[in-house]
């Protein structure tokens, strides 16, 4: 089972990858939205902001998200680490329910370029 620190590191790596993206991916990452990433097996939520093409984690707290973020991810810690490492396909994980992504319809269309 991934640790909280491994999950935080995975989010930082994801942010770095997004920051270095080009073309359509860079455009999709250019959203300015609140974001939360709930890690179910650790019962922890990372809350922050997607801005400037990067994810800024502003807070980490136990339990479910305290506020409804505009973009919400829910998954196990091992799945987050595997997604960022390229070992887990997002579409398959989302389709099977291992990963949940909730956002407004227009945001989902833009985010699909990232995923």
């Amino acid at each position: 089972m991934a640790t909280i620190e491994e999950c935080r590191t995975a989010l930082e790596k994801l942010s770095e990858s997004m920051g270095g993206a080009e073309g359509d991916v860079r455009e999709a990452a250019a959203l300015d939205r609140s974001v939360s990433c709930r890690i179910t097996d650790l019962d922890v939520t990372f809350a922050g902001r997607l801005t400037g093409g990067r994810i800024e984690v502003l807070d980490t707290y136990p339990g479910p998200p305290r506020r409804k973020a505009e973009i919400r991810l829910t998954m196990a810690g091992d799945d987050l680490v595997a997604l960022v490492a390229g070992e887990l396909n997002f579409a398959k994980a989302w389709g099977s329910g291992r990963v949940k992504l909730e956002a407004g319809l227009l945001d989902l269309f833009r985010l699909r370029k990232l995923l």
Side-chain angles (χ1 to χ4, degrees):
M1 180 167 69
T3 66
I4 291 174
E5 196 54 45
E6 288 170 324
C7 292
R8 179 181 293 280
T9 299
L11 287 171
E12 289 170 3
K13 286 181 184 176
L14 177 60
S15 181
E16 288 172 17
S17 295
M18 291 169 53
E22 309 240 343
D24 287 345
V25 175
R26 184 170 187 81
E27 180 183 323
L31 293 170
D32 184 12
R33 302 285 188 271
S34 60
V35 63
S36 67
C37 183
R38 170 122 167 89
I39 307 300
T40 54
D41 56 334
L42 298 175
D43 194 29
V44 67
T45 298
F46 295 95
R49 193 127 198 109
L50 172 61
T51 185
R54 300 182 71 85
I55 298 171
E56 295 178 28
V57 176
L58 303 173
D59 201 5
T60 304
Y61 47 84
R66 294 181 180 164
R67 282 179 241 138
K68 185 176 177 182
E70 294 165 296
I71 299 171
R72 300 169 301 282
L73 286 163
T74 304
M75 68 191 81
D78 287 341
D79 289 339
L80 173 61
V81 172
L83 280 170
V84 173
E87 299 166 359
L88 179 63
N89 178 281
F90 180 83
K92 288 181 182 179
W94 188 30
S96 70
R98 284 176 66 178
V99 173
K100 294 179 185 170
L101 171 64
E102 300 173 87
L105 187 59
L106 293 176
D107 288 344
L108 284 173
F109 282 127
R110 289 186 77 182
L111 289 170
R112 70 179 162 77
K113 296 175 186 176
L114 287 174
L115 311 169

